[in-house]
Amino acid sequence: MFTPKIPPPDTAPTPGTSLVPPLTGLVHPPACTCHHTPNVVPAQAPVPAAPVARPTVQLTPGSLVVAASGGTAMVLVIGTVLVSMLLATAITAASVAICAVVLRSLLNNQKVK
């Protein structure tokens, strides 16, 4: 039940083959209506396409200023949020500690009487 479902070795594709079958047997109609026999050229193996070069990112002085100001704004916003969360936790902890001291003193005063 928990074993992986792997195709049998006879149906699994080998690393050098493609999963897409080649297009064979395509016959195109002639471009003209003349009654001559077209020259048949044997099909050649496809040449692998060269990898497409990715465009490089060009930074202008204006885009550098925008990127720097955006990064600075993001750091300031994230820092503000984190500091406010820390401050909220500290205030909550202090108020719980004060409540615990007050309750302790109230309970101790009841036992003395």
Side-chain angles (χ1 to χ4, degrees):
M1 178 173 143
F2 294 110
T3 58
K5 305 293 186 266
I6 300 175
D10 59 340
T11 60
T14 59
T17 61
S18 173
L19 295 175
V20 180
L23 298 174
T24 57
L26 294 178
V27 178
H28 295 286
C32 64
T33 57
C34 305
H35 297 290
H36 65 281
T37 58
N39 294 335
V40 178
V41 178
Q44 297 177 354
V47 177
V52 178
R54 294 183 181 178
T56 58
V57 177
Q58 296 180 358
L59 295 176
T60 61
S63 63
L64 285 176
V65 169
V66 169
S69 62
T72 303
M74 190 169 64
V75 166
L76 289 176
V77 168
I78 292 173
T80 304
V81 169
L82 291 178
V83 167
S84 65
M85 289 171 58
L86 181 64
L87 184 61
T89 304
I91 291 172
T92 304
S95 65
V96 168
I98 291 172
C99 289
V101 168
V102 169
L103 283 175
R104 183 177 173 190
S105 66
L106 287 175
L107 291 175
N108 284 338
N109 285 340
Q110 285 182 355
K111 291 181 183 177
V112 174
K113 293 181 181 179

